[in-house]
Amino acid sequence: MRNVRVGLIGFGTIGSGVVKIFQDYGADIAEKVGINLVLKKIADLDIVSPRTAFVPQEMLTTDAREIVSDPEINIVIELMGGIEPARSLILQAINNKKHIVTANKALLAIDGDLIFRAAQECSVDIGFEASVAGTIPVIKTLREALVANRIESLLGIINGTSNYILSKMTDEHLDFATALKQAQAKGYAEADPSFDVNGTDAKHKLAILLSIAYGKKVNIDAIYCEGITKITPEDIKFAAELGYRVKLLAIAIRREGRVEARLHPTLVPANHPIARVENNYNALHIVGSSANAVFLHGEGAGMMPTASAVMSDVIDIARNISCGISGRVPSRHPDERNLAELAIVPMEDVATNYYIRFMALDRPGVLSKISGIFAKYAISIASVIQKGRMQDGSAVPLVMLTHSSRERAVCEALLEIRNLDVIAGEPMLIRIEERD
Ligand code: HSE
């Protein structure tokens, strides 16, 4: 049986999961795949702390260069995360003709152009299934299973931590800080959890999905991004009363040669499959021109689910090595050097329905002032609900749902409304996604 040798850089949570798969299922994999995968070396700055998986000391090194320059190693798994030194190590490994498997979404979203081009020039493969949605095979689905489709829309829950927090705030009425602490304890959150809750992590993943769904370069700064930090338990409750769940949704919608690409808290009808995705689970609802709706669901974060995605790439590449091929399925496009940039619809031109909650004084005439401003901006109101009654004229929540309206008009109207003397504090705006 052919041996394929693997080096692992990064022996943290996911790295330990990968080692466990080598140790617990290596023989099964060899039998199933007909290739013997050999984990030769592991690099991490910390090689003394106890891990879930035990490895002999001679397999460990603190110097990742030993792995990227080892002539025996065929595949380098990079699980250290962050931009540097991960980028330099991956580029060195590529130059040394090693195939790469990485879960590094930030690096691929920001510097994917450099890495994918280098890989193509050196005829090596890059596996990055674990970079988006943990165990869910969404990269494989977009690059292979749905390759004959034009992607009409993609709705995704692709950050396990924020989905966990929103689920706990909705179902167990936990406050934000307690739910975040639980997500950290379970190992879902990034080293810097602000990346999870401010949307950065999901934005990186959306950029990767867009680039493979449309075979283009993606300017990550053109993706609108808003996290979950301003979502209140009251808004979650009002949304539920109106038949919606609040989700941090990554959204891509094809629009006449351009694509809407946005990431923000979203009201989703409670009966939509994506509304029922709970805790650290991720999901993708993809509509293809021929396939129609495809729904993928699975654990998007955590040690073993993510390690499973890493190993699926390792095995894919090992199979290519044993057939003497590379680049059969290009990372994004067969010609990385001449890749066009994806045209993204500017956020102010996006039209959608809105949930807007004001804190308004409970007095006659308030509603007509607000609706007068909406009328001025041609925003059509679908419904209005006042929550509670304050006879003393103090502020009460006033929830309005709009019909489809342009973002620019809604933002301008809200600027005017918040300056009314009958409005207290900042209005809360949450976009609604009614797509089937
Ligand atoms: N912090 C990420 C999440 C881990 O919560 O989804 C997986 O990328």
Side-chain angles (χ1 to χ4, degrees):
M1 197 180 289
R2 177 173 188 144
N3 283 337
V4 168
R5 289 189 176 74
V6 180
L8 168 64
I9 305 177
F11 195 17
T13 307
I14 314 302
S16 301
V18 166
V19 173
K20 213 167 145 33
I21 293 181
F22 268 98
Q23 291 176 345
D24 295 354
Y25 305 111
D28 292 7
I29 293 170
E31 197 187 323
K32 195 161 26 171
V33 177
I35 300 167
N36 191 30
L37 296 171
V38 182
L39 181 59
K40 187 177 177 204
K41 198 124 209 126
I42 302 174
D44 198 287
L45 290 179
D46 170 10
I47 54 171
V48 292
S49 299
R51 308 298 209 281
T52 324
F54 169 80
V55 287
Q57 199 62 28
E58 58 274 17
M59 264 179 77
L60 297 169
T61 175
T62 53
D63 186 359
R65 287 169 304 180
E66 279 182 33
I67 289 178
V68 299
S69 61
D70 183 333
E72 272 190 3
I73 288 178
N74 310 100
I75 303 173
V76 172
I77 304 175
E78 181 275 309
L79 296 176
M80 63 196 314
I83 305 299
E84 278 298 345
R87 176 177 49 199
S88 302
L89 289 165
I90 287 178
L91 289 171
Q92 279 172 43
I94 290 173
N95 275 330
N96 293 337
K97 301 274 188 255
K98 299 190 189 315
H99 304 276
I100 306 292
V101 173
T102 178
N104 197 329
K105 54 247 162 153
L107 179 61
L108 293 183
I110 292 164
D111 262 333
D113 296 343
L114 182 69
I115 287 166
F116 291 130
R117 193 158 26 160
Q120 206 164 68
E121 280 164 6
C122 292
S123 302
V124 298
D125 285 329
I126 309 255
F128 50 103
E129 189 64 73
S131 67
V132 182
T135 205
I136 300 176
V138 61
I139 305 286
K140 213 180 227 318
T141 300
L142 287 171
R143 289 200 306 183
E144 300 181 51
L146 296 182
V147 67
N149 286 256
R150 209 172 48 198
I151 301 302
E152 302 295 349
S153 67
L154 178 153
L155 305 180
I157 292 179
I158 50 177
N159 181 266
T161 302
S162 49
N163 199 52
Y164 183 89
I165 293 172
L166 290 174
S167 295
K168 295 288 168 189
M169 286 173 77
T170 306
D171 299 329
E172 294 175 26
H173 312 292
L174 293 191
D175 61 48
F176 180 88
T178 310
L180 172 58
K181 271 204 199 101
Q182 285 189 3
Q184 285 177 291
K186 285 175 181 284
Y188 306 148
E190 296 301 298
D192 177 355
S194 61
F195 274 37
D196 294 297
V197 297
N198 71 17
T200 306
D201 176 76
K203 179 165 94 158
H204 289 151
K205 294 167 178 168
L206 178 57
I208 294 170
L209 292 179
L210 287 164
S211 71
I212 55 169
Y214 298 102
K216 300 258 169 74
K217 283 191 214 177
V218 172
N219 171 9
I220 190 162
D221 298 327
I223 299 176
Y224 177 81
C225 175
E226 189 185 305
I228 61 166
T229 49
K230 290 197 200 134
I231 297 295
T232 68
E234 287 71 33
D235 291 302
I236 290 177
K237 190 162 117 311
F238 296 155
E241 287 171 21
L242 292 162
Y244 295 101
R245 308 254 311 174
V246 182
K247 293 289 175 192
L248 180 66
L249 224 58
I251 300 175
I253 302 171
R254 208 178 64 81
R255 301 267 188 224
E256 291 156 14
R258 297 191 299 172
V259 175
E260 281 181 23
R262 46 197 171 93
L263 185 282
H264 49 69
T266 309
L267 258 58
V268 188
N271 61 0
H272 191 288
I274 216 142
R276 285 178 260 152
V277 176
E278 301 294 358
N279 301 323
N280 67 317
Y281 276 78
N282 281 195
L284 292 115
H285 183 272
I286 304 168
V287 177
S289 48
S290 306
N292 298 326
V294 173
F295 188 65
L296 303 172
H297 180 253
E299 285 189 78
M303 179 167 84
M304 296 317 293
T306 312
S308 159
V310 169
M311 289 308 288
S312 124
D313 279 339
V314 169
I315 292 168
D316 259 2
I317 293 175
R319 283 174 163 152
N320 288 348
I321 293 171
S322 75
C323 293
I325 54 169
S326 68
R328 190 185 70 84
V329 182
S331 302
R332 303 186 298 189
H333 191 272
D335 185 3
E336 281 289 339
R337 242 181 304 185
N338 295 304
L339 209 53
E341 187 169 308
L342 183 70
I344 293 179
V345 178
M347 192 58 194
E348 59 266 30
D349 292 343
V350 165
T352 188
N353 300 0
Y354 292 84
Y355 160 104
I356 300 164
R357 195 248 314 140
F358 301 103
M359 291 306 292
L361 301 193
D362 191 5
R363 280 192 202 149
V366 170
L367 198 53
S368 79
K369 282 188 184 171
I370 296 174
S371 55
I373 295 175
F374 276 142
K376 179 174 147 193
Y377 287 95
I379 296 162
S380 163
I381 298 167
S383 60
V384 181
I385 307 165
Q386 176 179 321
K387 307 300 294 184
R389 181 87 175 94
M390 299 300 273
Q391 304 278 2
D392 60 357
S394 54
V396 288
L398 193 65
V399 174
M400 301 182 115
L401 301 186
T402 74
H403 288 127
S404 181
S405 311
R406 288 249 170 248
E407 179 90 7
R408 182 187 293 112
V410 171
C411 291
E412 284 174 5
L414 289 192
L415 269 182
E416 261 189 55
I417 294 170
R418 69 194 270 276
N419 288 331
L420 293 174
D421 56 4
V422 293
I423 297 293
E426 286 298 319
M428 166 64 87
L429 172 154
I430 311 179
R431 297 162 192 90
I432 303 175
E433 188 54 49
E434 301 275 7
R435 193 163 303 277
D436 288 332

